[in-house]
């Protein structure tokens, strides 16, 4: 008899066939039900919660860790450790992972006309001029005073023009990319480029007018690889298990990017043949997986990546289709854990050209950080853990609509603000920082992080909110320990970096906070819990998606490759996992 599950999601019911050899999570994923699965189905994050309404499934050992006796009796199970042996009716909670607030960009790039990667020139030409020359490319080069090469496509267009159009025209338009003519026309020509930030969670894409530098449109979506884990290590492990998995991971991201590029072009009414260049920034693992490169060596000491060079490829090489002619640049990484997204951030802040010292900090599962000025740059990455992304926090969620992003305790009341003012679903990173800060200020936790039991409810949680129908959202002792680990790692990283750079807090002019969490973070609260140093309070500058901004800057500037190569050359990397000072400071910073 075939095994079936009836899935209830909000008001909809769907029947799916179950493959008994696969977990319920895998069965649901195969049938397009997306559950949060930060640990990639390993039973270690507690997020893939479902409820069995009918049918028997014996609780797994992981179920017993994540659910109380009462919850187990009510049928709560982790989908990734659930293997039904009879037909079941299952309730799945609304998918949180499809409506992330994604930080794109609206920053206008200052561009110099002299440095544009793509240029469009008008060249006077007619029958009389042709009588005086014996070849057309020398004439164009001489007229423009440039040494240009010509693509086959542009030579074919010139040949056609000489044959058919020359009697009716008096000028042509020449499109160049760097020193190469890539298009010729008797009518004005346009040129567009696309800049992409591949985040571990989200993809952010901007369509740019290459002639003016204006942003035409932005588009964003979820990184579909997250069904195999929210952090890079889990994804690397999955991709390295088998060549088939590696191909699947590469295909997942390349298909999502292609789909996003097509949507962005069609919603902007732009012909895809006018797309001349694409730049992609992302952490080292994201870039390697996009290219289908096995990344196992990134996951183990000595953490070796494949290349620190700019990768310059054709559209066909990256996307395995000949759909578009656009050239693609993938921005280079400093190290396995300071990737092209950070290089891009260094480039866009211009910190490597400044007299003053600044810090660039991007807080995600890893806290990546760079310090420096025009003389030298130094970088590090610390495994902060996913607490500020909502993972490993009992009621944690990403930056989705309904996530609690701000919290204030007033007497017996807890006031919350959610993203988009939707009913509360869980707590995102900024809410996590706020609640810990409030618990400290109200002396509900002490400096060791101990949560005073007299404030806890019967589930051993500090009560935050009561979602009318089902879930009490609370904060647990274990959640506080996760925050302590994360904040101690970030602050210890900053301290070691400053010490290694042989400077002090007074010498630092700015601390740039990049990324979604950094941009939305409440600084006072972050300083209060010891995530950021109080000495830098007046120097914090949130800069949004600096990875995407750097990719746009690279797209527009023909000298960008030299700049990025310079950044790679002058940026040292400190391996914090082997640094005794870091370990000592990490332990000290665990206290509040
Ligand atoms: S516990 Fe099931 S996906 Fe993490």
């Amino acid at each position: 008899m075939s095994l079936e599950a009836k899935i209830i999601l909000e008001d909809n019911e769907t029947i799916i066939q179950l493959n008994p050899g696969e977990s319920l999570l895998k069965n649901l994923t195969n049938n397009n039900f997306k559950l949060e699965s930060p640990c990639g189905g390993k039973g270690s994050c507690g997020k893939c919660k479902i409820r069995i309404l009918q049918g028997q499934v014996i609780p797994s050992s992981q179920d017993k860790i994540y659910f109380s006796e009462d919850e187990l009796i009510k049928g709560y199970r982790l989908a990734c450790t659930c293997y039904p042996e009879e037909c079941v009716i299952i309730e799945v909670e609304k998918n949180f992972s499809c409506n992330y607030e994604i930080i794109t960009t609206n920053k206008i790039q200052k561009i110099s006309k002299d440095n544009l990667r793509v240029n469009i020139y008008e060249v006077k030409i007619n029958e009389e001029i042709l009588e005086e020359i014996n070849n057309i490319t020398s004439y164009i080069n001489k007229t423009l005073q440039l040494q240009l090469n010509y693509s086959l496509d542009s030579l074919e267009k010139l040949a056609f023009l000489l044959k058919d159009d020359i009697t009716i025209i008096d000028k042509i338009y020449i499109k160049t990319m760097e020193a190469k003519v890539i298009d010729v026309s008797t009518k004005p020509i346009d040129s567009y480029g696309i800049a992409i930030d591949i985040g571990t969670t989200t993809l952010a894409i901007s369509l740019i007018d290459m002639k003016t530098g204006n942003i035409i449109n932005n588009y964003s979506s979820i990184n579909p690889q997250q069904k195999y884990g929210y952090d890079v290590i889990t994804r690397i492990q999955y991709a390295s298990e088998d060549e088939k998995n590696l191909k699947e991971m590469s295909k997942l991201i390349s298909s999502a990017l292609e789909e996003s590029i097509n949507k962005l072009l069609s919603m902007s009414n732009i012909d895809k043949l006018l797309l001349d260049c694409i730049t992609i920034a992302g952490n080292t693992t994201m870039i390697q997986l996009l290219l289908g490169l096995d990344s196992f060596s990134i996951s183990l000491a000595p953490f070796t990546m494949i290349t620190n060079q700019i990768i310059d490829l054709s559209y066909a090489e990256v996307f395995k289709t000949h759909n578009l002619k656009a050239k693609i640049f993938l921005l280079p990484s400093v190290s396995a854990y300071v990737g092209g997204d950070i290089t891009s951030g260094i480039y866009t802040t211009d910190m490597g050209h400044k007299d003053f010292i600044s810090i660039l900090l991007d807080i995600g599962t890893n806290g990546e950080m760079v310090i420096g000025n025009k003389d030298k740059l130094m970088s590090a990455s610390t495994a902060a853990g996913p607490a500020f992304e909502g993972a490993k926090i009992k009621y944690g969620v990403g930056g989705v609509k309904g996530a609690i992003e701000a919290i204030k305790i007033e007497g017996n009341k807890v006031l919350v603000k959610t993203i988009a003012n939707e009913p509360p679903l869980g707590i995102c990173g900024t809410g996590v920082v706020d609640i810990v800060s409030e618990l400290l200020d109200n002396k509900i936790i002490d400096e060791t992080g101990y949560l005073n039991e007299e404030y806890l409810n019967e589930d051993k949680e500090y009560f935050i909110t009561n979602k009318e129908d089902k879930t009490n959202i609370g904060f647990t002792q274990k959640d506080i320990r996760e925050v302590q680990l994360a904040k101690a790692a970030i602050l210890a990283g900053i301290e070691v970096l400053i010490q290694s750079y042989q400077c002090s807090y007074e010498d630092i002019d700015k601390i740039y906070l990049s990324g979604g969490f950094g941009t939305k973070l409440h600084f006072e609260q972050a300083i209060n819990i010891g995530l950021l140093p109080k000495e830098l309070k007046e120097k914090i500058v949130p800069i949004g998606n600096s990875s995407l901004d750097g990719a746009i800057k690279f797209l527009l500037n023909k000298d960008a490759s030299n700049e990025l190569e310079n950044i790679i050359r002058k940026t040292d990397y400190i391996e914090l996992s082997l640094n005794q000072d870091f370990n000592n400071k990490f332990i000290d910073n665990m206290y509040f």
Side-chain angles (χ1 to χ4, degrees):
M1 190 186 97
S2 70
L3 211 50
E4 285 179 349
K6 185 195 279 183
I7 313 297
I8 301 177
L9 172 61
E10 297 188 304
D11 294 332
N12 297 318
E13 293 184 359
T14 315
I15 296 198
I16 64 169
Q17 297 296 322
L18 293 178
N19 180 351
E22 292 182 331
S23 71
L24 187 59
L25 178 67
K26 189 93 171 115
N27 275 294
L28 288 168
T29 309
N30 291 345
N31 285 279
N32 296 324
F33 287 94
K34 292 180 193 153
L35 261 68
E36 285 215 77
S37 50
C39 71
K42 291 193 167 58
S44 59
C45 70
K47 292 289 174 191
C48 60
K49 184 166 92 174
I50 51 101
R51 189 173 168 201
I52 312 263
L53 300 179
Q54 192 176 307
Q56 288 290 326
V57 180
I58 297 167
S60 66
S61 52
Q62 285 94 332
D63 286 332
K64 290 176 189 162
I65 297 172
Y66 287 99
F67 300 113
S68 65
E69 269 303 311
D70 190 38
E71 287 172 318
L72 291 172
I73 291 166
K74 285 181 181 155
Y76 286 104
R77 301 285 184 275
L78 296 175
C80 67
T81 60
C82 180
Y83 290 80
E85 290 176 359
E86 61 184 42
C87 294
V88 283
I89 300 179
I90 289 164
E91 185 182 57
V92 172
E93 285 193 11
K94 191 175 148 203
N95 170 28
F96 300 155
S97 58
C98 284
N99 58 353
Y100 273 90
E101 269 211 330
I102 299 173
I103 307 277
T104 50
T105 193
N106 53 14
K107 200 181 274 175
I108 309 288
Q109 295 283 337
K110 286 185 219 125
I111 52 166
S112 148
K113 290 272 175 206
D114 296 338
N115 285 338
L116 280 177
R117 186 181 295 281
V118 170
N119 286 284
I120 308 219
Y121 301 100
E122 285 180 29
V123 177
K124 185 172 162 51
I125 191 157
N126 53 35
E127 276 186 296
E128 274 169 38
I129 290 172
L130 271 187
E131 277 167 21
E132 291 168 22
I133 61 175
N134 76 351
N135 80 81
I136 194 163
T137 61
S138 301
Y139 167 72
I140 295 169
N141 287 6
K142 193 167 163 206
T143 308
L144 297 177
Q145 298 191 336
L146 293 169
Q147 246 340 301
L148 297 170
N149 298 313
Y150 290 75
S151 67
L152 179 58
D153 196 34
S154 63
L155 292 174
E156 282 170 357
K157 286 188 176 164
L158 283 172
F160 183 76
L161 185 141
L162 286 178
K163 182 178 162 211
D164 284 354
D165 291 337
I166 197 65
T167 54
I168 53 166
I169 59 163
D170 72 340
K171 68 178 168 194
I172 54 174
Y173 297 85
I174 305 284
K175 186 193 310 187
T176 63
M177 175 140 61
E178 295 148 22
K180 189 166 199 165
V181 176
I182 55 170
D183 199 7
V184 176
S185 173
T186 55
K187 300 201 178 82
I189 325 177
D190 287 322
S191 173
Y192 297 93
I194 276 185
I196 298 175
D197 166 47
I198 307 182
T200 314
T201 311
T202 53
L203 310 176
I205 307 186
S206 295
L207 175 64
I208 310 294
D209 183 331
M210 298 289 278
K211 291 190 295 184
T212 62
N214 291 340
I215 298 168
I216 313 269
N217 238 325
N218 290 311
Y219 185 79
S220 51
S221 61
I222 299 300
N223 185 332
Q225 290 177 338
Q226 66 168 265
K227 69 178 174 186
Y228 291 113
Y230 278 19
D231 62 287
V232 296
I233 296 293
T234 315
R235 290 189 209 171
I236 291 172
Q237 283 167 350
Y238 176 77
S240 300
E241 271 168 18
D242 183 319
E243 203 176 327
K244 179 172 83 31
N245 293 6
L246 178 59
K247 281 201 178 126
E248 183 192 354
M249 290 295 259
S250 174
K251 182 79 188 144
L252 273 174
I253 189 69
S254 62
S255 300
L257 289 182
E258 243 202 324
E259 200 183 310
S260 303
I261 290 169
N262 289 334
K263 276 196 184 142
L264 192 50
L265 289 170
S266 80
M267 70 197 224
S268 314
N269 285 324
I270 286 171
D271 182 345
K272 61 187 180 184
L273 294 177
L274 294 173
L275 186 63
D276 291 316
C277 192
I278 298 174
T279 49
I280 304 179
N283 67 50
T284 313
T285 306
M286 291 304 101
I287 296 298
Q288 291 198 180
L289 289 181
L290 168 67
L291 299 178
L293 304 175
D294 194 298
S295 299
F296 184 70
S297 60
I298 289 181
S299 65
L300 293 176
F303 313 113
T304 311
M305 61 179 173
I306 292 165
T307 179
N308 69 348
Q309 295 181 348
I310 296 166
I311 306 173
D312 171 359
L313 298 170
S314 67
Y315 193 89
E317 284 173 300
V318 177
F319 293 104
K320 318 284 184 268
T321 98
H322 290 82
N323 223 355
L324 297 174
K325 288 183 297 181
K327 188 172 180 173
I328 298 184
F329 293 99
L330 297 112
L331 305 200
S333 297
V334 173
S335 73
Y337 290 99
V338 176
D341 48 348
I342 304 303
T343 317
S344 192
I346 299 172
Y347 178 50
T348 198
T349 56
D350 215 19
M351 60 190 286
H353 282 143
K354 298 277 183 352
D355 291 327
F356 60 78
I357 300 171
S358 51
I359 292 177
L360 171 66
L361 176 63
D362 188 339
I363 304 174
T365 309
N366 287 319
E368 290 124 339
M369 48 194 80
V370 183
I371 188 169
N373 62 9
K374 63 180 172 27
D375 299 323
K376 69 171 174 176
L377 295 162
M378 202 173 261
S379 66
S381 172
T382 166
F388 299 130
E389 302 195 320
K392 289 211 174 169
I393 299 293
K394 182 161 185 188
Y395 296 95
V397 291
V400 297
K401 287 180 187 162
I404 298 173
E405 58 174 347
I407 298 177
K408 181 110 192 92
I409 297 175
E410 278 185 2
N412 289 331
K413 280 202 199 135
V414 182
L415 309 177
V416 302
K417 180 180 176 311
T418 62
I419 295 178
N421 294 319
E422 297 262 331
L425 288 174
I427 318 166
C428 68
T430 54
V432 166
V433 171
D434 276 15
I435 183 66
V436 176
S437 174
E438 288 292 302
L439 292 173
L440 264 175
D441 283 352
N442 288 277
K443 306 205 179 335
I444 298 169
I445 56 176
D446 65 17
E447 62 169 20
T448 68
Y450 173 72
L451 185 52
N452 191 332
E453 294 206 357
E454 85 182 64
Y455 293 92
L456 304 186
N457 62 17
E458 65 278 11
D459 291 330
K460 299 271 180 228
E461 290 167 8
Y462 178 80
F463 169 92
I464 296 178
T465 182
N466 187 8
K467 198 176 151 194
E468 300 83 46
D469 48 358
K470 293 175 212 134
T471 325
N472 287 330
I473 296 174
F475 213 68
T476 68
Q477 183 66 68
K478 183 172 167 297
D479 293 340
I480 290 166
R481 297 299 178 217
E482 291 292 340
V483 172
Q484 285 179 284
L485 290 173
K487 67 108 183 175
I490 300 285
L491 190 58
I494 294 172
E495 288 172 351
V496 169
L497 208 54
I498 290 174
Q499 182 181 301
S500 306
Y501 201 78
Q502 298 182 327
C503 68
S504 64
Y505 284 122
E506 294 88 73
D507 299 321
I508 292 160
D509 205 73
K510 287 189 172 60
I511 173 164
Y512 299 111
L513 291 189
S514 70
F517 174 71
T519 302
K520 297 252 173 175
L521 187 62
H522 306 131
F523 310 141
E524 298 261 351
Q525 286 78 348
I527 289 167
N528 194 30
I529 71 166
L531 169 61
L532 297 176
K534 59 180 179 310
E535 294 83 351
L536 297 181
K537 186 174 172 190
E538 305 303 328
K539 301 175 179 180
I540 299 172
V541 184
I543 55 169
N545 190 339
S546 59
S547 172
L548 183 61
D549 287 336
I552 296 173
K553 190 172 168 188
F554 188 100
L555 185 72
L556 292 167
N557 286 280
K558 73 170 190 288
D559 300 330
S561 293
N562 290 340
E563 284 281 328
L564 270 276
E565 278 158 11
N566 256 330
I567 288 172
I568 295 293
R569 254 195 305 276
K570 73 192 274 192
T571 308
D572 288 340
Y573 175 70
I574 305 171
E575 182 52 62
L576 292 177
S577 62
L578 307 172
N579 187 304
Q580 193 50 46
D581 270 348
F582 172 78
N583 291 333
N584 297 339
K585 288 179 191 299
F586 173 70
I587 292 163
D588 291 347
N589 288 330
M590 288 284 282
Y591 287 92
F592 288 110

